[in-house]
Amino acid sequence: MPRSRNAQRGLALILLLVVVVLAFTYVLMSRLPLATHQTATKREFNARVLNQAKQALIGKMVIDAAGTDDNPGRLRCPEGFNNIGTDQEGVAAPDPGDPTCARVGRLPWRTLGVDKLVDADAEPLWYAVSPGWSLQNTGTLLDINSDKRGQMTVDGLGPPNDVVALIIAPGRPMTVQAAPGCTARTQARAAPAPTINAADYIECFNAATPAFSTIGPSASFNDQVLAVTTADLIPPLEAAIQQRMQREIAPVLRTVYSSAAWGQAAGNPVYPFAARFDNPDPGSGNSYQANDGRYQGLLPFNCSEAGCASDARYSPAFVNWTTSGGGPSISVTGPGLVAGGGSCTLTGNQINCTGSYVALGTVTFTITVRATNVAMALRQLDPSGVTLTTGSLLSLGTCSSPGTVTGITGSFRSDGGADMTMRAQAPGLVGGLPPLALSVSFCMTAQLGMFADHPLLKPDSTGPGTTGWFVRNEWYRLVWYAVAPKNTVDNLSGGVPVGCVNPSPPPPAPDCLGINGTRNIRALLVLTGGSLSNPAGRPNGNVMDYLEHNNCDRTLVGGVFVCNPGATFEQRAMRADKIVRSPAITGDPFYAPFNDRIVLVDWIAPTPALPISPLLP
């Protein structure tokens, strides 16, 4: 009996020990999931907040780009340090209170139009932006287009790469341990003030470079980082640029040669020839000079004024005088003309005409001369390039009294040149009444500068309603230009183009360009977007790295596919990845990849629907 009791007591002790061990194990194991769960909950919260900030940042960029921003595509700077702790908290620099843009700072939540965003530890988000993507001061001008890359150093990978910005949830302050990429620091966070130090919030970054990390040793790093890449920014930016080109660039291109000064009417304008699609890169030496009879390629963006002198497009004598057709000559006419005449010489870029006249009434002096390559460039007529002076009784044989330039007109030729006429007037009765009237000298000049660069070529025009952003950001390097042949000087009748016109029966019109099944377009542009096949190799001279699908019209030449764009184009929805359908759908308009965006410049009735190219998943 005692042995049985002892056995029972031993069994009870074992059971008690088992219960204690199980309880201890339960408590221990319950603690571990709790910590893990808390970390996961924080990371999930931070992920949502970071994504909200990213979408706000991209949305603000798109709103600015589609509006009147002179730097479309720019990202807003971090919050101005001088705004921290004031009623301007959350306002991005540069502004009057903080004129300099820092590379790293707190997220400018007020400028982005969102509430103040904080992470799971109640810390405001931080933000870093790549050089070249934000305004360093109020006078900065940028150059952002589809080929732009980020210049940040992230996780040891230096530029160029695709990271344009980082949004950072800083978490709790920590004692940062020295580690590769991490500088030892005990983070101290006082009340936010202009003297705030990013190193007390962001770990493992070099403020001097700056170089950033998205991961790090657990003892040195607790930031949660979300990258903003060119893949995030460029597609929505291109959508904004497409609409802005439709609104601002297409109407200007329509009017370059549609005025009475060129003998044209807005209802059926002449368009310039296209430039050959050679490598559009600034360093390639491409002059953007158009060719007679070329209807598709680059816009003829050659330029002639001194502000363009450092660019390969600089072609000061591409549009020039020629002695073809007899060279320059001058006529002197007027209702009271008694006698008058003169001759002209062509010296360098200037026409000099001199002579004499005797007249009772107002005298008109008219220079006629031929110019080359006018329809292979974008030029406007500048009357200040023409001058007239006459002599007087007190200055016989000299020209000192200014006359009045009354107009410059041009008449296109089928070879791309133009016959130019410059007119000016001066008063008669300068030598007294006949038979006492004396012959008086005149001097009339025409500078080549009268063919001024069209405003569409000028990067220095800024503000609402101007097109300087298109030139300065070099979007023209990523644009394919197509014109209906009968709206060029190759097809003139009475000095005006035969034109893409309504046939009988109604469209499709065989002489017009087509898009998505209709054919009534006189001229269009294709914003080619970033390369979907060879981004690392752009820019280059391979059109297949710019145009997609039917816009490219691939042709097999010598066993190699090349682009051979025809008269019909298409607008599809945007996708970066190829969507495989099984079974295949013939003519599927959403087959990807595709990122061309069509901008319609001119058309005949009926008015087509302006293309909209949505982003599809």
Side-chain angles (χ1 to χ4, degrees):
M1 193 70 176
R3 291 175 61 91
S4 177
R5 286 183 185 149
N6 289 338
Q8 288 177 359
R9 289 192 189 121
L11 182 60
L13 288 173
I14 292 172
L15 290 175
L16 179 61
L17 180 61
V18 169
V19 170
V20 170
V21 169
L22 289 175
F24 177 78
T25 302
Y26 171 79
V27 171
L28 179 64
M29 296 302 293
S30 66
R31 295 281 183 180
L32 292 176
L34 178 60
T36 303
H37 177 72
Q38 288 175 338
T39 299
T41 300
K42 279 188 174 184
R43 294 191 64 81
E44 182 180 351
F45 178 88
N46 288 345
R48 289 197 303 269
V49 172
L50 289 169
N51 187 63
Q52 184 180 353
K54 179 176 178 176
Q55 299 310 313
L57 190 70
I58 296 172
K60 179 61 175 174
M61 180 273 290
V62 172
I63 290 171
D64 291 343
T68 59
D69 198 328
D70 286 327
N71 299 278
R74 70 174 173 123
L75 296 180
R76 293 307 181 110
C77 292
E79 174 187 41
F81 281 100
N82 290 337
N83 295 331
I84 297 176
T86 73
D87 59 358
Q88 294 300 302
E89 181 179 343
V91 174
D95 67 2
D98 206 328
T100 302
C101 176
R103 293 268 300 273
V104 58
R106 300 201 307 183
L107 186 77
W109 53 273
R110 195 185 300 271
T111 297
L112 299 183
V114 295
D115 293 332
K116 185 175 182 178
L117 300 177
V118 297
D119 66 10
D121 292 294
E123 289 288 355
L125 301 184
W126 282 70
Y127 164 57
V129 62
S130 170
W133 286 83
S134 61
L135 297 178
Q136 292 305 297
N137 53 63
T138 53
T140 304
L141 295 175
L142 304 176
D143 56 344
I144 297 173
N145 58 41
S146 299
D147 284 338
K148 184 81 169 181
R149 291 290 175 261
Q151 297 297 315
M152 301 185 75
T153 299
V154 180
D155 292 335
L157 300 176
N161 56 46
D162 285 339
V163 179
V164 178
L166 296 173
I167 306 173
I168 304 166
R172 294 176 179 270
M174 66 182 304
T175 299
V176 180
Q177 305 297 320
C182 301
T183 301
R185 183 182 183 87
T186 299
Q187 294 179 334
R189 301 178 185 176
T195 55
I196 194 170
N197 191 330
D200 287 324
Y201 295 81
I202 305 173
E203 292 88 57
C204 305
F205 90 102
N206 184 337
T209 309
F212 295 88
S213 297
T214 61
I215 55 175
S218 59
S220 298
F221 193 87
N222 70 349
D223 294 342
Q224 192 165 336
V225 184
L226 182 62
V228 182
T229 68
T230 53
D232 299 317
L233 294 173
I234 295 300
L237 172 60
E238 289 170 348
I241 294 299
Q242 176 195 26
Q243 298 308 310
R244 193 160 174 181
M245 286 175 60
Q246 188 70 68
R247 188 177 71 243
E248 299 179 19
I249 303 303
V252 175
L253 192 57
R254 264 199 303 274
T255 63
V256 174
Y257 290 132
S258 65
S259 68
W262 294 103
Q264 306 299 316
N268 186 28
V270 157
Y271 286 95
F273 292 117
R276 178 183 174 86
F277 194 94
D278 293 325
N279 188 338
D281 183 64
S284 68
N286 194 332
S287 66
Y288 285 76
Q289 294 177 359
N291 305 112
D292 182 9
R294 185 175 294 279
Y295 309 121
Q296 296 195 39
L298 293 169
L299 283 164
F301 254 53
N302 58 86
C303 50
S304 64
E305 298 180 5
C308 181
S310 61
D311 197 306
R313 299 181 296 117
Y314 184 53
S315 306
F318 180 58
V319 176
N320 208 338
W321 311 119
T322 176
T323 56
S324 175
S329 62
I330 190 165
S331 64
V332 184
T333 59
L337 183 68
V338 175
S343 61
C344 301
T345 59
L346 178 56
T347 305
N349 293 334
Q350 180 170 299
I351 298 171
N352 298 293
C353 300
T354 58
S356 61
Y357 69 102
V358 179
L360 297 175
T362 300
V363 179
T364 299
F365 304 86
T366 304
I367 296 177
T368 56
V369 66
R370 187 166 294 173
T372 61
N373 299 332
V374 181
M376 303 182 201
L378 300 175
R379 299 290 187 266
Q380 63 180 351
L381 299 176
D382 182 3
S384 69
V386 178
T387 60
L388 170 69
T389 53
T390 62
S392 69
L393 290 174
L394 299 178
S395 58
L396 297 177
T398 63
C399 301
S400 57
S401 300
T404 302
V405 177
T406 57
I408 305 174
T409 58
S411 177
F412 283 113
R413 298 174 52 81
S414 60
D415 62 0
D419 290 324
M420 306 303 302
T421 301
M422 292 80 79
R423 293 184 177 86
Q425 292 182 334
L429 294 172
V430 294
L433 293 172
L436 301 177
L438 299 177
S439 179
V440 177
S441 59
F442 70 84
C443 305
M444 188 171 177
T445 66
Q447 304 277 354
L448 190 59
M450 60 169 271
F451 295 104
D453 288 349
H454 192 274
L456 197 57
L457 299 172
K458 298 184 178 183
D460 53 354
S461 61
T462 59
T466 60
T467 57
W469 64 269
F470 183 73
V471 187
R472 191 173 54 256
N473 291 275
E474 300 185 334
W475 284 103
Y476 63 87
R477 299 186 187 276
L478 302 172
V479 170
W480 182 264
Y481 164 59
V483 58
K486 290 198 173 182
N487 275 92
T488 67
V489 297
D490 266 355
N491 292 274
L492 296 175
S493 177
V496 298
V498 174
C500 152
V501 296
N502 275 315
S504 181
D511 295 329
C512 302
L513 302 176
I515 175 174
N516 285 11
T518 65
R519 192 153 182 176
N520 65 334
I521 309 300
R522 289 185 175 128
L524 59 78
L525 305 174
V526 183
L527 179 61
T528 59
S531 175
L532 295 173
S533 58
N534 185 25
R538 281 266 300 266
N540 59 44
N542 185 0
V543 183
M544 290 187 66
D545 284 339
Y546 293 82
L547 296 176
E548 278 87 55
H549 293 274
N550 289 345
N551 296 338
C552 175
D553 283 347
R554 295 197 311 167
T555 304
L556 193 62
V557 178
V560 178
F561 280 107
V562 298
C563 268
N564 186 30
T568 58
F569 294 80
E570 65 175 346
Q571 180 64 76
R572 298 186 184 186
M574 304 292 103
R575 276 200 182 103
D577 300 317
K578 187 173 182 178
I579 306 300
V580 179
R581 297 181 183 269
S582 181
I585 302 175
T586 302
D588 181 1
F590 300 120
Y591 198 73
F594 191 90
N595 70 351
D596 291 348
R597 300 176 188 272
I598 304 293
V599 175
L600 300 184
V601 176
D602 193 15
W603 53 85
I604 61 175
T607 300
L610 298 181
I612 297 176
S613 44
L615 296 170
L616 293 185

